[in-house]
Amino acid sequence: MSPTWTVPSPSSGCTIALLSTWMALGPVACGDDATAEGSDTSTGQTTSEGTTAVDSSGPGTTDDGATSSGSSSSSDTGMVDSSGSGTSTGAETETDTAGFDCSTLPPGPLPFEEVFAAGTVFDGSEDIAFDGQGHLAGKSGAEVRLVSPDGTVVDDWPDPGGTYGLRFRANGELLAAKYANGEIRIVNGAGPLVTMAGGVNGLYPDFDDNVWFTNGSSVRRINPDGSVDAIVTGNPEAASTNGVVLDPTRGLLFYSNYGPGLIRSVVIDGDGSPGVVSMVASIPNAFIDGLSMDACGNLYAMDQGSATLYRVWLDEAGVAVGMPEELAQFPTNVANAVFGRGPGFDEHSLYAAGIPGGVYRVEVGVPGAPYPTP
């Protein structure tokens, strides 16, 4: 039997149980192309614009004035109710919060500490990646370095040109989003994983060997056989797409629209096909870059424009509850925040990084949702 996580509804104080059958969930890459939302075009998805948007009217309030109770009657989320019954999507993992009470998460603002000063270990690294074995990968000049918790370089690989997203796959491949070349490159291997992919930005490998990515104008998936599927296309849904993270328990893929400062979700059906696209949250005047998810099912979003980390509380259906919560503002530019993995790194902390090379740790009081490591 799969263990469960206890998850609160911030608006009611009650708890719900989530299956601990998660797939790789992690922050993703950034981008600097603040494209405004354009006129609506055909996307191939059914949209539900604004129905789950967050505004100043209070927790769970939708744009039509209806108030969410923090729960959902949907049977397609992969959640379980208090009886412990339900269905699961995605590969099982051993991660378990052992009855962790998500209502105890510390509220923002939260303190942070500098792990690596800007330019000392990394330089030009918009994203970082943990290998789960006590090492952290990041870009430094024309190479990608793999370092220990004290910053000692244990391996490195050539990586000329700019890189946005940086992520490990379960098979050990380290992927880099080479936006200028339109390719996803295997840094520690031979050649690219995919070419002609547009201005590749956010990366999210999952436990089923798919790689989800954004390229500023769409969200796409590389399948295990190497084929590429379009998941979200067209404006405004795919305007300046950036961060991306999969939630297999809910059957949702979350992604950010960098320029408009929005977070959206798209339903991923059991056969992998995309469904309804919905608004999740809006952060006014923000440039939302990388996204991450915790074991309680909440999102964390990085505003690259102000170097600020936000938490977005979600209910069991993936609907935002309340306003995005500001957690920390950093002294140097940051684009992504990744939950720690492996010896020497704190799994209850997000590690934020950006182009100047500074890395900062923020303890958020809950581990991250599982994501693949070698």
Side-chain angles (χ1 to χ4, degrees):
M1 178 182 293
S2 298
T4 59
W5 293 326
T6 303
V7 182
S9 167
S11 61
S12 64
C14 63
T15 60
I16 58 176
L18 285 176
L19 285 176
S20 63
T21 50
W22 295 72
M23 292 163 59
L25 294 171
V28 258
C30 84
D32 306 302
D33 52 335
T35 304
E37 294 201 32
S39 58
D40 190 13
T41 62
S42 176
T43 67
Q45 295 87 32
T46 304
T47 63
S48 177
E49 283 302 320
T51 58
T52 58
V54 179
D55 62 25
S56 59
S57 56
T61 303
T62 62
D63 63 352
D64 61 1
T67 300
S68 166
S69 66
S71 63
S72 169
S73 60
S74 171
S75 61
D76 297 324
T77 63
M79 300 299 183
V80 294
D81 58 22
S82 58
S83 66
S85 63
T87 58
S88 167
T89 61
E92 291 196 14
T93 76
E94 297 302 318
T95 299
D96 179 17
T97 60
F100 183 87
D101 183 0
C102 295
S103 66
T104 64
L105 299 191
L110 299 175
F112 62 87
E113 69 171 4
E114 183 180 73
V115 178
F116 302 134
T120 58
V121 175
F122 300 131
D123 184 10
S125 192
E126 286 216 355
D127 202 1
I128 52 178
F130 292 94
D131 69 358
Q133 302 172 32
H135 306 115
L136 177 62
K139 191 169 172 63
S140 181
E143 68 180 18
V144 169
R145 294 176 171 179
L146 190 67
V147 305
S148 60
D150 65 1
T152 301
V153 178
V154 298
D155 209 344
D156 59 72
W157 306 276
D159 185 48
T163 294
Y164 279 168
L166 196 64
R167 284 292 177 272
F168 278 103
R169 301 176 81 180
N171 64 7
E173 292 177 345
L174 178 57
L175 305 181
K178 309 299 291 184
Y179 56 92
N181 300 335
E183 66 180 26
I184 299 174
R185 180 172 176 266
I186 304 173
V187 175
N188 56 352
L193 176 67
V194 66
T195 60
M196 301 180 66
V200 187
N201 200 320
L203 299 176
Y204 190 81
D206 67 23
F207 283 105
D208 288 331
D209 205 29
N210 303 299
V211 178
W212 307 80
F213 72 93
T214 61
N215 63 7
S217 60
S218 66
V219 181
R220 298 179 183 270
R221 178 184 60 224
I222 306 171
N223 302 305
D225 64 3
S227 61
V228 180
D229 292 332
I231 304 300
V232 182
T233 61
N235 291 330
E237 289 82 11
S240 62
T241 52
N242 200 306
V244 59
V245 62
L246 177 68
D247 179 352
T249 299
R250 294 183 176 107
L252 294 173
L253 183 75
F254 294 92
Y255 66 95
S256 64
N257 299 111
Y258 182 80
L262 304 175
I263 300 172
R264 302 181 195 262
S265 68
V266 55
V267 171
I268 304 299
D269 294 330
D271 62 359
S273 60
V276 175
V277 175
S278 297
M279 190 81 73
V280 175
S282 172
I283 303 177
N285 304 312
F287 295 93
I288 304 179
D289 211 309
L291 299 177
S292 289
M293 180 167 282
D294 67 22
C296 296
N298 302 307
L299 283 174
Y300 295 79
M302 187 65 74
D303 171 17
Q304 189 186 29
S306 65
T308 301
L309 176 67
Y310 289 87
R311 175 165 53 208
V312 181
W313 294 87
L314 300 180
D315 69 12
E316 63 181 290
V319 175
V321 179
M323 295 291 291
E325 178 186 13
E326 182 176 331
L327 296 183
Q329 185 171 30
F330 305 100
T332 63
N333 181 270
V334 290
N336 291 276
V338 189
F339 276 97
R341 287 288 188 275
F345 297 103
D346 181 18
E347 296 193 356
H348 291 73
S349 292
L350 281 162
Y351 291 76
I355 284 289
V359 177
Y360 307 95
R361 183 181 73 86
V362 183
E363 185 174 353
V364 295
V366 63
Y371 58 80
T373 54

